């Protein structure tokens, strides 16, 4: 529906609606006044009375947000996560992927590009914007134009549907009289500024529930921004509720786009109207806890008198059955409202776990609800790093098109607790047979931003080729590694005419083999290798929770799901729980003061730092090499050996006072801050700054100090021994001579 048609409907309907209300008032006045002959004053009073009644009825009705036009401005910098882009050489091009969100009714997309060109060309540049190979706009950059040029155009209406618009920007030159060899010169370029913009004009659609489309609309891929999801819990939240929130949140994180997902935890009785109106919401909890919050909502399933879920035949749903319901939000009908529930904690947990499965949306029979009866555990595959492939690491065949510079990137997450020594890769690739055999094309390999090797490439009769690459350990890191395959493709054209970019391509196949070898030495603890895929985690909470509100605890759990840890299973326990239930292969996270936890209070010797009577205490084993400043840290985060299993780790998050936990938690869970934490202890100060400490290095200093001290002591003992022996020998010699003279006087 266009803006013009909306205005026509508005102009036609509104006057009729006003005339209809006027007739209702007039008729009602006659009924109230009894006859036409009554005084006009009484009719006037009745009109006012009825008008107020109509206003009251309208006010009492549910509010539906007006579907007004919204303008959203997206920078190219935010769209491609780069500060603009450069098209080099003749025929250089770039694809821009413009997301189309499913709940947006898009009326117009306006593109505003800021262009600059080189000063060395001897020919004009022609830029063409195309969608599906159909040109939609062009601009000429003459030789004389070396300043910034603006290029404005609209995306045609016929392309404003689907999930994505692929907008191709291609650059060609007016090559009349130009030297063809110069067209391959990297000094020939056009730059598109990161401050260029894409403006969306749209209105939001009324949400139509569809569970088979999960995780849409909570998570969109592609997405324009980081998706935001509100996780809402009932007021009387307990540890089981927090576990449910973790697994539900993890279901969305697993499906996030490259822009990510932000999980916002709120408690139902304190959530603001603004938060509820502007976000998609997921409510989690068993029936008896959430039933009072769902009164007067039109749901596909209902409650019985005992506040239990019943099916459409009024039969009680079993306690071990999970329930997932999806409706339009009662606070904003353009947003979604999901309920993860059941008639018991077991049922809710089963529903939360079901959302994690990749095949969940395929098992949905109804758009608005699903009952989860059986549940298979998520599978955590173990990678054989000595012989794996790109496919086993989650990658597919990847192809680039067009001549010039292009890149295929892979993020390879190696184990974080092992030191990689070397990597061997057997790349399997193929090339367009139309690539030039006269002008060399190249393939260069970069690892973590550093060049490793390069080779000249050209098409062969047997198009699938193999190239073996060796990467030394000096280029590799424990954990995240970025492998970048950079192509420079040359396409020979004797007439210098523009090329069809689809004729120039290269593919790397997912059958490419990788072999990674590791040092057998175990790495010391640090925050990077704590985040190991497939681990079990026990989150311990203190008996005294006065330092935390329910909302803070909820957001701690969601932050664990969102930003930091790749966890196999999460168990949330209190100090009063039976700690023997913690599995031996579990790492432990403790948030609180160790005085409130019996386990840690009795095993202080495992902790390099801790608080005692609100003062920082330092373990005697490192005290001699630690210099304490006058400013006392308000909190600390540290890794240590688990007191239950020395092969596992303990992560302690603590503060000297309850009011300081917020600052400490923000440092650890804020991606802009925690990305700089590399050691195994962090001391945090009142202004939010922190000092990162490598406790292992401190222990080495203590050991070196001990060795030096022992060496000095042994040296001193040796010297004293030598002196004693030396002077003892002299004394003995003197005594010997005296005794000899006494018994054998000289003649």
């Amino acid at each position: 529906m266009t803006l013009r048609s909306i205005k026509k409907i508005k102009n036609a309907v509104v006057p009729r609606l006003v005339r209809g209300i006027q007739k209702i008032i007039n008729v009602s006045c006659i009924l109230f006044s009894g006859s036409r002959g009554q005084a006009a004053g009484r009719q006037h009073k009745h009109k006012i009375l009825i008008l107020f009644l109509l206003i009251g009825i309208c006010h009492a009705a549910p509010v539906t947000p007006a579907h007004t036009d919204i303008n959203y401005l997206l920078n190219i910098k935010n769209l491609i996560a780069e500060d603009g882009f450069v098209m080099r050489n003749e025929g250089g091009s770039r694809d821009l992927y413009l997301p189309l969100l499913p709940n947006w009714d898009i009326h117009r997309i306006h593109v505003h590009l800021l262009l600059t060109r080189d000063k060395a060309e001897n020919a004009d540049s022609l830029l063409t914007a195309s969608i599906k190979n159909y040109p939609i706009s062009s601009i000429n950059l003459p030789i004389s134009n070396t300043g910034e040029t603006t290029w404005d155009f609209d995306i045609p209406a016929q392309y404003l549907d689907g999930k994505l618009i692929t907008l191709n920007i291609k650059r060609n030159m007016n090559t009349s009289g130009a030297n063809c060899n110069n067209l391959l010169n990297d000094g020939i370029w056009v730059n598109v500024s990161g401050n260029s913009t894409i403006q969306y004009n749209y209105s939001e659609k009324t949400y139509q529930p569809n569970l088979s489309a999960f995780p849409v609309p909570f998570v969109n891929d592609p997405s324009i921004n980081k998706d935001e999801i509100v996780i809402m819990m009932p007021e009387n939240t307990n540890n089981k509720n927090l576990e449910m929130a973790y697994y539900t949140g993890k279901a969305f994180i697993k499906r996030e786009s490259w822009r990510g997902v932000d999980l916002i935890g709120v408690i139902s009785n304190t959530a603001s109207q603004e938060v509820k109106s502007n976000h998609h919401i997921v409510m989690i909890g068993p029936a008896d806890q959430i039933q009072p919050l769902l009164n007067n909502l039109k749901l596909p399933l209902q409650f019985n008198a005992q506040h239990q879920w019943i099916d459409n035949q009024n039969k009680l749903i079993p306690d071990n059955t999970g329930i997932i319901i999806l409706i339009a939000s009662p606070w904003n009908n353009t947003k979604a409202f999901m309920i993860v529930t059941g008639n018991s904690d077991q049922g809710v947990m089963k529903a939360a776990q079901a959302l994690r499965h990749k095949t969940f949306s395929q098992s949905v029979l109804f758009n608005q609800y699903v009952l989860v009866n059986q549940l298979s555990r998520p599978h955590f595959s173990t990678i054989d790093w000595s012989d794996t492939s790109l496919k086993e690491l989650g990658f597919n065949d990847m192809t680039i098109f067009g001549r010039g510079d292009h890149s295929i990137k892979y993020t390879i997450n190696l184990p974080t607790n092992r030191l990689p020594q070397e990597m061997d890769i057997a790349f399997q690739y193929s090339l367009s047979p139309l690539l030039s055999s006269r002008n060399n094309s190249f393939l260069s390999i970069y690892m973590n931003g550093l060049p490793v090797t390069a080779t000249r490439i050209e098409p062969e009769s047997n198009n699938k080729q193999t190239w073996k690459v060796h990467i030394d350990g000096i280029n590799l890191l424990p954990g995240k590694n970025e492998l970048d395959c950079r192509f420079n493709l040359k396409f020979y054209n004797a007439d210098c005419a523009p090329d069809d970019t689809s004729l120039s391509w290269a593919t790397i196949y997912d059958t490419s083999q990788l072999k990674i070898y590791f040092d057998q030495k175990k790495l010391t603890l640090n925050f990077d290798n704590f985040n190991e895929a497939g681990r079990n985690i026990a989150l311990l909470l203190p008996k005294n929770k006065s330092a935390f509100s329910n909302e803070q605890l909820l957001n701690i759990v969601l932050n664990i799901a969102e930003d930091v840890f790749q966890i196999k299973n999460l168990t949330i326990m209190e100090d009063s729980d039976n700690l023997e239930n913690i599995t031996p292969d579990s790492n432990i996270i403790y948030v609180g003061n160790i005085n409130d936890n019996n386990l840690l209070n009795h095993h202080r010797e495992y902790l390099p730092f801790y608080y005692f009577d609100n003062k920082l205490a330092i373990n005697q084993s490192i005290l001699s090499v630690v210099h304490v400043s006058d400013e006392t840290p308000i909190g600390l985060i540290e890794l240590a050996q688990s007191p239950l299993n020395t092969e596992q780790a303990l992560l302690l998050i603590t503060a000297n006072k309850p009011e300081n936990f917020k600052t400490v938690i923000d440092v650890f869970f804020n991606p802009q801050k925690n990305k700089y934490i590399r050691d195994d202890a962090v001391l945090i100060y009142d202004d939010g700054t922190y000092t990162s400490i490598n406790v292992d290095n401190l222990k080495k200093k203590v050991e070196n100090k001990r060795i030096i001290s022992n060496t000095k002591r042994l040296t001193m003992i040796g010297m004293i021994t030598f002196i004693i022996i030396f002077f003892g020998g002299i004394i003995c010699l003197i005594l010997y001579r005296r005794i000899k003279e006494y018994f054998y006087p000289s003649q």
Side-chain angles (χ1 to χ4, degrees), residues 500-715:
D500 182 352
T501 57
S502 65
L503 300 179
S504 177
W505 54 263
T507 298
I508 295 180
Y509 295 99
D510 58 15
T511 52
S512 299
Q513 296 294 120
L514 295 86
K515 295 183 179 181
I516 301 100
Y517 306 95
F518 298 90
D519 193 331
Q520 295 304 311
K521 181 181 177 182
K522 188 176 180 180
L523 290 178
T524 56
L525 281 174
N526 59 62
F527 290 107
D528 285 335
N529 64 42
F530 188 78
N531 182 17
E532 180 71 12
R535 285 193 183 276
N536 293 314
I537 297 291
L539 174 61
L540 299 186
L541 300 175
K543 291 178 294 185
N544 178 16
K545 295 183 182 178
S546 59
F548 309 101
S549 65
N550 282 338
E551 187 168 302
Q552 285 177 313
L553 289 174
L554 173 59
N555 279 290
I556 288 172
V557 171
L558 295 178
N559 281 327
I560 291 174
E562 179 182 338
D563 291 325
V564 186
F565 305 110
Q566 304 173 39
I567 300 173
K568 182 178 180 181
N569 292 304
L570 177 73
T571 304
I572 301 177
M573 308 175 69
E574 292 181 15
D575 187 55
S576 57
D577 297 334
N578 187 358
L579 297 179
E580 294 178 357
N581 292 333
I582 299 177
T583 56
D585 62 341
S586 292
N587 285 336
I588 297 175
I589 304 173
Y590 178 69
V591 183
N593 196 300
I594 68 168
N595 296 323
D596 296 326
N597 184 278
N598 291 331
L599 175 66
L600 301 183
N601 205 17
H602 293 138
H603 292 85
R604 295 173 186 260
E605 68 274 11
Y606 286 91
L607 303 175
F609 304 94
Y610 56 90
Y611 283 103
F612 184 74
D613 291 336
N614 295 335
K615 296 180 181 178
L616 183 67
I618 303 171
N619 195 298
Q620 289 293 326
S621 64
I622 60 173
L623 182 61
S624 61
V625 293
V626 175
H627 303 283
V628 182
S629 66
D630 295 334
E631 185 181 5
T632 303
I634 65 166
L636 69 93
I637 306 164
E638 65 181 337
L639 279 173
Q641 287 182 332
S642 168
L644 298 181
N645 183 351
T646 56
E647 293 296 315
Q648 303 303 322
L650 163 71
L651 172 62
L652 173 64
I653 302 175
T654 187
N656 61 345
K657 297 178 182 179
E659 59 266 25
N660 290 330
F661 271 99
K662 186 177 184 301
T663 302
V664 176
I665 290 170
D666 179 64
V667 168
F668 191 63
F669 290 115
N670 187 329
Q672 299 303 318
K673 296 179 181 180
N674 64 34
K675 65 182 179 181
Y676 299 110
I677 299 175
R678 289 292 178 269
D679 299 313
D680 49 4
V682 181
L683 301 180
I684 301 160
Y685 298 92
D686 193 36
D687 59 358
T689 60
Y690 59 86
T691 300
S692 188
I693 299 173
N694 191 315
V695 175
D696 188 63
N697 285 344
L698 294 180
K699 291 179 178 178
K700 289 178 181 178
K701 286 183 179 181
V702 171
E703 181 64 18
N704 291 338
K705 193 173 181 179
R706 185 187 66 80
I707 293 173
I708 292 172
S709 176
N710 288 342
T711 302
K712 288 180 178 180
R713 185 168 58 85
L714 291 174
T715 302

Side-chain angles (χ1 to χ4, degrees), residues 287 291 294-305 307-317 323 325 343 369:
Q291 187 274 337
L294 302 178
N295 282 335
N296 303 321
L297 292 188
K298 186 178 180 181
L299 301 171
L301 298 174
Q302 299 300 320
F303 295 98
N304 62 16
H307 298 172
Q308 297 170 303
W309 288 107
I310 55 177
D311 62 19
N312 292 328
Q313 283 74 44
N314 293 326
K315 293 181 180 179
L316 182 67
I317 296 176
I323 303 170
I325 295 173
N343 283 327
Y369 75 94

Side-chain angles (χ1 to χ4, degrees), residues 406 427 429 431 441-445 453-457 467 484-489 508:
H406 301 274
F427 286 104
Y429 68 95
L431 304 169
S441 298
F442 296 93
L443 171 57
S444 304
I445 303 299
T453 186
T455 186
R456 184 182 295 110
I457 55 176
W467 179 35
D484 188 359
C485 305
R486 302 184 185 181
F487 287 89
N488 182 271
L489 303 182
I508 295 180

Side-chain angles (χ1 to χ4, degrees), residues 158-176:
Q158 63 265 32
Y159 299 117
L160 301 182
D161 59 4
K163 293 180 61 176
L164 187 73
I165 295 174
T166 302
L167 175 65
N168 176 261
I169 307 295
K170 184 178 178 182
R171 180 273 186 97
N172 291 112
M173 295 172 59
N174 179 3
T175 56
S176 176

Side-chain angles (χ1 to χ4, degrees), residues 32 43-55:
F32 273 101
Q43 282 197 3
H44 180 68
K45 289 180 181 178
H46 288 156
K47 285 184 179 182
I48 294 174
L49 175 63
I50 294 168
L51 182 60
F52 274 107
L53 287 173
L54 288 171
I55 292 172

